[in-house]
Amino acid sequence: MNPQLKAELVRLFKRAEGRYGPAFFHALDEVAACPAYRTSPGEVAELLDTEILDGVGQLYRKERTK
């Protein structure tokens, strides 16, 4: 895994302070779209669940499929 990607996800997660609303999901979208990370929303969701906090990635997936 890209260490910069993980660091960015950790930073966003800490900044959200448990408030996983539109601003948090928008920030995740921007990370997923960033060419430097070469990732996708699905990969971001998986990393959130496996590396950050299980369930946060599921929330992101659910938000993206609305």
Side-chain angles (χ1 to χ4, degrees):
M1 178 206 331
N2 181 328
Q4 289 96 356
L5 173 58
K6 182 176 179 181
E8 182 64 10
L9 293 177
V10 168
R11 185 184 71 75
L12 290 172
F13 174 75
K14 287 181 178 177
R15 194 173 74 192
E17 297 178 331
R19 296 183 304 271
Y20 309 125
F24 177 68
F25 296 124
H26 179 71
L28 293 178
D29 285 343
E30 289 183 349
V31 168
C34 179
Y37 296 132
R38 289 178 279 176
T39 189
S40 69
E43 288 177 281
V44 166
E46 187 176 325
L47 287 172
L48 285 167
D49 279 342
T50 59
E51 301 288 334
I52 312 287
L53 179 66
D54 189 31
V56 176
Q58 291 175 38
L59 290 173
Y60 180 50
R61 276 191 203 91
K62 186 176 174 182
E63 182 67 22
R64 296 287 54 85
T65 58
K66 282 186 178 180

